[in-house]
Amino acid sequence: MGGIGKTTLAQLAYNDEEVKAHFDMRIWVCVSDPFDEIRIAKAIVEQVGQSGPSLVELESVLQNMCKSIKERKLLIVLDDVWVEDYKKWEPLKHCLQHGAQGSTILVTTRKERVAQMMGSSCMFQLQNLSEGDTWWLFSQLAFLGRASEECETLEEIGKKIVSKCKGLPLAAKTLGSLMRFRRTKAEWQNVLDSEIWELEEAEKSLLPPLLFSLYDLPSAIRRCFLFCAVFPKDYEIKKDVLIKLWMAQGYLSSSRSREMEVTGQEYFESLAAHSLFQDFIKDDDGSIIQCKMHDIVHDFAQFLTRNECVIMEVDSKKKPSMDAFYKKVRHLTLTCASDAQMPVFNYNAVNSRTLLNLAEDIALPHLFDNLTRLRALDLNAAAIKEVPVKVRNLMHLRYLNLSKNTRLYELPEAVCDLCNLESLILNWCQSLKRLPQGIGKLINLRHLELEETSNLRKFPKGIGKLSSLRTLSKFIVRGDGVKKACNIVLLKNMKHLQGILYLDGLENLISGGESKKAELKNKKNLLGLRLDFYGQKREGGIHDDDDDDVIEELQPNPNLASLHILYYQGTRLPSWIMMLTNMRELILKNCENCENLPPLGNLPSLELLEIWYMYHVKTMGHRFLGVDAHDSIPNTDDVLTTSTKIAFPKLKRLGFFGLTEWEDWYDWTSWGEDCLIMPRLSCLTIECCPKLKALPHLIQTAPIQVTIRECPILETMLPQGER
């Protein structure tokens, strides 16, 4: 982000005595935006010491620059680069290569994409200063020329002022310079009590670099950034939630070939690349799933939206203000005072389009009467027992989050009148027993999230009409009887499903032919599948000998990346497992009747494999690995030669749990160098496998983490540190 110290660090390197001695010449060019190739080339020529001719054609200027730097060992600093277009950078790059061997280009930029585009061999991601370093930088300026006694008097309040900087060097320098001329403790206290943007000096110093970042963005992305002022400071922003909120405001465009969610993902990545987000949490694939905003960036966003975004602490002891200001508010966030029990807030915010409630409780009927223009309503963990029927007043609502209302038993049919609703979030509503019968009326619904709703035992048939769904985290094949069961065929029209789908109650399917009608194979955007056969089979459901047919007809699209099969009672796993060439995660749990495993070693992308409670498995032999003494496996890893046999080429984590009859794990050590088994394995866990006699020799000697628990035979053979 701006003010983190990129240019300052580059200057330290540029002016270092050893650096000066190492290069024949040093050149510093402030590039900024827009990227002007002619101006940059002329600046380089002038600093080399040659008079720059009045050339205006790019080609002529570049030729002159090439001659100027030829065979000179140069350090060239290109400061504050913004351009991401390689076509603009390429002509300069070719000319700069005329310098002598050992020449170096040092670039400063706020955008990681710029560094990647320019072909950087090494990138340094600058972080915020530590609290101690921030205080040191501040005090060098604020206490300059003061007596030690005066410094001691002001130190405590000074450290509180420094906490406003949140490790940003520019903020520390700005406030330090400001406090240098504040002589009294009262003046220091006044600064501490002020918002940072109320300080004229801070606004002049901090605003320009942040505005540079903001106005480098297209207007559509700027609007999305400014919306983030609705979140409180230090709030953990979940990327998927943020994108859904942008959708609710109409900030994301879509077309036949481009989903709104994809546009939102690109906008988020652009904001992250401009250092307007930080403190990223990533998933196993390296994708960002959560972030925060630096406090000063957050203050900046609120400063620019101060008449539109309001974060208000509601308190039962205070009467709500009714001034006209709230009529301008478009995005309202409620937080609860620490001693408040039932929050009260200004219902005069009649034009508000967003309400994020972070308080513990809220009077919903009054809300639904007054805030009828809401597009997004977040009532996460609001201790709601009942959603009033007046919810139908919110005709513009596109986003409704009722997660973690653990005493909410049902939704009223009035919810089905919200014809514009795009996202309905019900995660962790653990008491929820049913969805409204008219849910099929929500034809614009794109995301229905139902994670950890264990008491939800059946779906209304109308759910099959929700053909716009992108997210359906859970689907229940279960009911009070055969005729009332939610038939899995209702999934047929949900062609756009993405992410992970959990199919619960598969033991109650009527036949394998019925499971085929779900057409999972055609859902090419579905990346994860959980097949759960747990529960007592109801009358009319499948029998154990039919399970094989049912699961065989649940074949997903080959794009699937993750598969869990739970409590499956058939005797063989589905043949289509071996067609999932993109699958990275496979978990088989409580498949108690399976005696043999398919050749899982042939899966080219598998990184995680866990096998739980398969009581009939006695051996892991050639078939499990997918190779034997006479066969070879096609090479799927570019680090291996084509003549090398390989099993589990990308497997990193392997776990066996509760295989009580497992005795033998085939030792492939004798195969020699012509066959590689699990070359990337880093973690092996074996628990509750009491009959397993030994590990393959290469597993014992490989540099991997091995954990053995409740395996008495193995534990006597292994060193203490490997148990």
Side-chain angles (χ1 to χ4, degrees), residues 231-239 241-242 278-279 281 289-293:
F231 299 111
K233 280 187 179 180
D234 206 39
Y235 189 80
E236 295 176 348
I237 304 172
K238 291 180 172 56
K239 180 184 69 175
V241 170
L242 179 59
Q278 64 176 35
D279 295 346
I281 295 179
I289 57 176
Q290 184 175 297
C291 69
K292 291 183 179 181
M293 297 173 70

Side-chain angles (χ1 to χ4, degrees), residues 560-564 577-578 580-588 598-611 624-625 636-637 646-655 678-681:
L560 202 73
S562 173
L563 174 65
H564 295 193
I577 283 184
M578 302 311 303
L580 303 179
T581 55
N582 294 309
M583 184 166 60
R584 299 194 302 273
E585 176 183 280
L586 175 61
I587 295 179
L588 306 172
L600 300 178
N602 283 344
L603 292 171
S605 303
L606 194 63
E607 297 178 3
L608 168 67
L609 173 61
E610 291 184 3
I611 301 175
F624 172 66
L625 297 173
T636 55
D637 198 306
I646 177 171
F648 295 106
K650 294 186 178 180
L651 192 67
K652 297 177 182 178
R653 292 180 290 167
L654 176 61
M678 308 179 193
R680 295 187 176 181
L681 190 66

Side-chain angles (χ1 to χ4, degrees), residues 235-255:
Y235 189 80
E236 295 176 348
I237 304 172
K238 291 180 172 56
K239 180 184 69 175
D240 289 347
V241 170
L242 179 59
I243 291 173
K244 291 182 179 75
L245 289 171
W246 287 340
M247 286 169 48
Q249 302 305 319
Y251 293 166
L252 306 180
S253 59
S254 64
S255 64

Side-chain angles (χ1 to χ4, degrees), residues 687-707:
E687 296 184 7
C688 301
C689 299
K691 295 185 178 182
L692 184 59
K693 300 173 183 177
L695 300 180
H697 179 71
L698 289 180
I699 289 287
Q700 298 181 46
T701 58
I704 63 176
Q705 178 184 342
V706 179
T707 302

Side-chain angles (χ1 to χ4, degrees), residues 410-425:
E410 62 181 358
L411 298 180
E413 290 295 322
V415 168
C416 304
D417 294 333
L418 304 177
C419 58
N420 293 304
L421 198 64
E422 296 172 338
S423 302
L424 178 58
I425 318 298

Side-chain angles (χ1 to χ4, degrees), residues 179-357:
M179 302 317 295
R180 179 181 175 186
F181 302 103
R182 298 290 200 272
R183 309 307 302 181
T184 68
K185 190 172 183 179
E187 289 177 309
W188 280 51
Q189 184 65 45
N190 185 52
V191 171
L192 176 62
D193 294 339
S194 300
E195 291 293 334
I196 195 166
W197 299 106
E198 294 174 358
L199 305 172
E200 183 179 353
E201 294 85 348
E203 184 176 339
K204 288 180 179 178
S205 298
L206 293 176
L207 202 56
L210 290 172
L211 283 173
F212 253 110
S213 286
L214 185 62
Y215 283 98
D216 181 61
L217 296 166
S219 59
I221 303 181
R222 289 202 298 269
R223 181 170 57 179
C224 289
F225 166 72
L226 293 175
F227 175 83
C228 295
V230 75
F231 299 111
K233 280 187 179 180
D234 206 39
Y235 189 80
E236 295 176 348
I237 304 172
K238 291 180 172 56
K239 180 184 69 175
D240 289 347
V241 170
L242 179 59
I243 291 173
K244 291 182 179 75
L245 289 171
W246 287 340
M247 286 169 48
Q249 302 305 319
Y251 293 166
L252 306 180
S253 59
S254 64
S255 64
R256 287 186 177 181
S257 60
R258 190 176 187 79
E259 302 260 306
M260 285 190 288
E261 292 82 357
V262 174
T263 301
Q265 172 76 23
E266 292 178 357
Y267 285 7
F268 182 92
E269 291 174 354
S270 183
L271 291 172
H274 279 72
S275 302
L276 295 171
F277 293 146
Q278 64 176 35
D279 295 346
F280 300 117
I281 295 179
K282 300 182 178 182
D283 61 17
D284 292 339
D285 297 326
S287 299
I288 299 171
I289 57 176
Q290 184 175 297
C291 69
K292 291 183 179 181
M293 297 173 70
H294 190 283
D295 279 6
I296 289 178
V297 174
H298 181 272
D299 290 341
F300 170 63
Q302 285 205 318
F303 173 73
L304 296 178
T305 60
R306 54 193 178 277
N307 292 327
E308 292 189 2
C309 292
V310 174
I311 298 176
M312 183 171 66
E313 184 178 75
V314 291
D315 191 338
S316 59
K317 299 178 181 179
K318 298 178 182 179
K319 293 183 179 180
S321 170
M322 297 300 289
D323 62 65
F325 162 73
Y326 283 97
K327 291 185 178 180
K328 301 178 182 179
V329 172
R330 293 173 69 84
H331 308 294
L332 182 62
T333 300
L334 307 180
T335 61
C336 195
S338 58
D339 58 347
Q341 295 179 357
M342 173 65 90
V344 178
F345 73 96
N346 192 325
Y347 290 108
N348 207 32
V350 293
N351 293 312
S352 185
R353 295 171 57 156
T354 306
L355 175 60
L356 304 185
N357 177 52

Side-chain angles (χ1 to χ4, degrees), residues 617-631:
V617 172
K618 295 184 178 181
T619 182
M620 300 282 180
H622 296 97
R623 177 177 170 79
F624 172 66
L625 297 173
V627 294
D628 61 33
H630 305 289
D631 294 334

